[in-house]
Amino acid sequence: MNRIINNPDLVVEDAVRGYLKAHKDLVAPTDNPRVIRHHLAPQKGKVGVVTGGGSGHEPAFLGYVGDGMIDAVAIGEIFSSPSAKAFHDAFVAADGGRGVACLYGNYAGDNMNVKLAVKQAAAHGLTIKTVVANDDVPSAPKSEPQKRRGVAGEILMWKVGGARAAEGAELDEVIASAQKAIDSTRSIGVGLSACTIPAYGKPNFSIEDGMMEVGIGHHGEPGVKVMETRPAREMADLMLDHVLPDLPFESGDDLAVLVSGLGATPVMELYILYDRLSEVFAERGMKVRHPFIGNYFTSLEMMGVTLTIMRLDSELDRLVGAPARSVGLTKVAL
Amino acid sequence: MSGVRIETAGGLVKELVEAINANRTWLSEIDGAIGDGDHGINMSKGFTSAGAKLGDTPPPLPEALNVLSSTLMEDMGGSMGPLYGYLFSRMADALEGKSKLEADDFGAMLRGALEGVQEIGSASVGDKTLLDALAPASEAFDAALAAGKPFPQALDEMAVAAERGRDSTRDMVAKVGRSARLGERSRGVMDAGASSCCLILQTLANGIKTRLSE
């Protein structure tokens, strides 16, 4: 392990401190060191939008706190759910009196901690509703959507929910739009190398040099197939073969497409992949309305890439296209 | 009647903190095989923080268990925060109104722990989780008492059952949590949660036995 850290047990604490110092125009600390809020939150009269998750995925999750996005975020240990207390305190930080939408990913720990936090918040009068992202196609069969994990599709869910809340919508409307967003979104990851949690000091899984794992999870969960690394064009085709039939995406669809590096991937290579993706979309009569290419949702220093596709209706198109400003994602109104 | 004075038994929780810290690396190694490799690290962080709150003269056992529970639930996060949080809070509940911890009370603590874990988690026995150490341990303890065995011997049988339960996870396929993604590949390795649970139960058994003989 060769990393830019101090104490490996305190990487989250150290990083959050730096983040707060760097982005004072967007975020502010709260009494809970594991909760960061929008610098204006809570905004009276606006539905609060909260997310949370393990660290090591930066800019997710804290990087999506911003204008037209997330109001408060709960921060966990590396690859580990935030505590119920952190989720609860994030709800409080985001609540402007019209309820809070908690938009998070489908993992056992997050489910338990959110459930506890919602219960605690309800006990003192807060209204919290949730949407659970489950966009990762290879994580479970289509027949078991409740077992599918949330991956980079969460970002588009936050974008949609955040934009809807910024429009002044009611809690139920924010929830309905965020649910529609994730229901219209599918993802897949390909891993080319493993990653190391600093406190553990060595990778907890391995991918041989020259091999790639198709369908890998955001924490190195095994995928559906390990094979020799193929040229980017073939990698793109392979990813599309898994994702497109699942929704299914069809000719005539308008799309938002998010290609994210997993931490160690040169950004240049994301564009090499996107060149082919874009070609296939055109061939199939699909139109990419909103492309997002970059490091949006990483897994420490994993080499690899995730592809996320959302089918847009006019509402989702409007909400994905709405202005937003955050460290992870900024959208300028056209 | 032989029992442990609850008033002065808060030290049992300090012993749990020491046991988890002493096994930090071992627990992470076990977790590393099919998980993140952070089980020992996160458990140690949570238990150490509870230990600091308890100080050098810990409060009576139920209070000490509740300090541990709330620290894990509030600070630790992950899956283990809520699961162990519920486990220890239900153990504390079973001691309400008691001044001595006797055999029946420990049986009630184990059953309470089991119910708590099942209430917050979604796993069943056989899913390769901490339940696979806890459930047989609780059953073995109750069975030993039903057979008329004395408290210390029932504790021994409970500890053996916990260990057997832990080892049985080696042949199981994970059904819940992150390792469930591994399917068949999760077979052949012990579950980290069952391992820490077994360690906790054995530490409690030893601590109680020591106090019973004092």
Side-chain angles (χ1 to χ4, degrees):
Chain A
M1 191 176 68
N2 197 17
R3 303 282 273 274
I4 306 160
I5 59 172
N6 300 309
N7 181 340
D9 286 356
L10 298 176
V11 288
V12 177
E13 287 81 352
D14 291 356
V16 168
R17 261 199 327 277
Y19 189 87
L20 283 165
K21 287 174 184 166
H23 301 296
K24 287 178 180 162
D25 60 326
L26 274 171
V27 296
T30 68
D31 291 340
N32 188 327
R34 292 307 181 92
V35 177
I36 284 180
R37 64 174 174 87
H38 187 285
H39 68 115
L40 299 175
Q43 295 185 59
K44 212 172 159 50
K46 186 183 99 64
V47 168
V49 180
V50 163
T51 191
S55 296
H57 298 301
E58 290 69 23
F61 293 73
L62 76 184
Y64 295 94
V65 175
D67 303 338
M69 293 288 290
I70 299 291
D71 295 296
V73 65
I75 300 164
E77 287 293 322
I78 295 212
F79 293 176
S80 182
S81 169
S83 69
K85 179 84 162 49
F87 273 112
H88 170 272
D89 292 352
F91 298 158
V92 172
D95 181 56
R98 286 179 72 195
V100 173
C102 178
L103 314 178
Y104 70 102
N106 190 24
Y107 294 91
D110 296 293
N111 284 328
M112 279 189 273
N113 285 297
V114 168
K115 182 168 140 189
L116 283 172
V118 169
K119 211 160 122 186
Q120 284 165 14
H124 52 90
L126 291 193
T127 306
I128 316 294
K129 294 195 175 178
T130 60
V131 179
V132 187
N134 59 344
D135 52 304
D136 187 20
V137 170
S139 60
K142 192 178 163 75
S143 57
E144 295 181 288
Q146 76 286 355
K147 287 194 178 169
R148 284 187 170 178
R149 313 288 195 247
V151 284
E154 289 184 50
I155 295 159
L156 298 178
M157 170 178 74
W158 302 328
K159 177 72 189 73
V160 165
R164 194 81 179 95
E167 285 181 348
E170 297 295 336
L171 178 57
D172 283 340
E173 294 171 325
V174 173
I175 290 290
S177 299
Q179 186 69 57
K180 180 160 80 175
I182 205 66
D183 288 346
S184 309
T185 299
R186 296 291 186 273
S187 297
I188 186 172
V190 170
L192 279 71
S193 75
C195 58
T196 297
I197 295 179
Y200 187 49
K202 56 189 176 194
N204 65 315
F205 65 105
S206 64
I207 299 172
E208 267 181 71
D209 197 30
M211 304 296 280
M212 64 181 194
E213 183 143 1
V214 180
I216 198 161
H218 261 165
H219 315 91
E221 296 94 329
V224 288
K225 190 159 47 173
V226 178
M227 57 194 289
E228 272 179 29
T229 302
R230 308 301 306 156
R233 293 177 66 81
E234 289 175 42
M235 222 182 273
D237 290 351
L238 193 63
M239 293 171 92
L240 289 168
D241 285 347
H242 278 92
V243 172
L244 291 180
D246 194 81
L247 190 63
F249 295 91
E250 289 162 339
S251 175
D253 283 350
D254 283 339
L255 308 176
V257 175
L258 187 147
V259 175
S260 178
L262 283 173
T265 313
V267 172
M268 181 189 189
E269 296 175 16
L270 304 178
Y271 286 100
I272 294 176
L273 189 85
Y274 187 71
D275 181 47
R276 173 61 184 167
L277 291 171
S278 167
E279 210 170 87
V280 176
F281 293 133
E283 280 166 18
R284 303 230 187 157
M286 301 171 191
K287 190 173 168 199
V288 181
R289 298 262 308 146
H290 305 284
F292 300 94
I293 318 296
N295 287 316
Y296 286 93
F297 204 130
T298 62
S299 297
L300 295 170
E301 84 289 26
M302 203 192 294
M303 179 74 77
V305 62
T306 61
L307 167 65
T308 297
I309 309 176
M310 173 192 268
R311 179 170 61 207
L312 302 167
D313 61 6
S314 60
E315 185 201 9
L316 292 176
D317 185 40
R318 178 185 88 240
L319 295 170
V320 172
R325 186 176 68 103
S326 67
V327 170
L329 185 154
T330 288
K331 190 90 181 170
V332 179
L334 295 176
Chain B
M1 198 53 203
S2 68
V4 172
R5 269 191 69 211
I6 281 172
E7 180 79 27
T8 53
L12 276 170
V13 178
K14 298 281 284 187
E15 287 162 28
L16 292 179
V17 175
E18 285 159 23
I20 291 293
N21 283 335
N23 287 280
R24 173 188 147 119
T25 309
W26 177 68
L27 290 172
S28 284
E29 292 286 342
I30 291 172
D31 188 36
I34 55 170
D36 283 347
D38 62 356
H39 184 61
I41 297 154
N42 290 343
M43 288 286 280
S44 161
K45 219 167 165 176
F47 276 65
T48 301
S49 154
K53 287 182 198 170
L54 289 170
D56 291 333
T57 45
L61 183 56
E63 282 88 333
L65 287 168
N66 276 326
V67 167
L68 177 58
S69 164
S70 59
T71 306
L72 298 182
M73 273 204 268
E74 288 174 12
D75 299 346
M76 191 163 90
S79 296
M80 291 302 154
L83 290 169
Y84 278 123
Y86 264 56
L87 183 148
F88 290 117
S89 111
R90 294 305 161 81
M91 281 188 168
D93 290 350
L95 294 175
E96 207 179 293
K98 306 275 179 184
S99 59
K100 276 203 154 186
L101 167 64
E102 296 183 27
D104 287 342
D105 303 318
F106 191 66
M109 284 170 72
L110 291 174
R111 287 192 301 274
L114 189 57
E115 284 163 17
V117 169
Q118 285 172 320
E119 188 183 322
I120 184 69
S122 54
S124 309
V125 172
D127 286 353
K128 199 177 180 103
T129 71
L130 68 88
L131 279 180
D132 294 307
L134 180 57
S138 172
E139 276 167 34
F141 187 81
D142 287 346
L145 290 192
K149 295 178 182 165
F151 195 179
Q153 196 179 337
L155 287 169
D156 285 340
E157 294 187 11
M158 186 279 296
V160 168
E163 192 162 312
R164 214 176 277 147
R166 176 198 75 191
D167 293 346
S168 76
T169 62
R170 210 186 288 275
D171 293 323
M172 293 176 186
V173 173
K175 300 268 171 52
V176 296
R178 193 164 299 153
S179 54
R181 266 285 280 271
L182 287 155
E184 276 296 323
R185 281 158 68 183
S186 65
R187 211 188 280 279
V189 191
M190 276 193 316
D191 176 63
S195 305
S196 58
C197 186
C198 173
L199 176 67
I200 285 163
L201 294 173
Q202 290 181 331
T203 306
L204 284 175
N206 286 334
I208 292 170
K209 271 172 65 185
T210 306
R211 285 166 175 80
L212 283 171
S213 63
E214 271 164 5

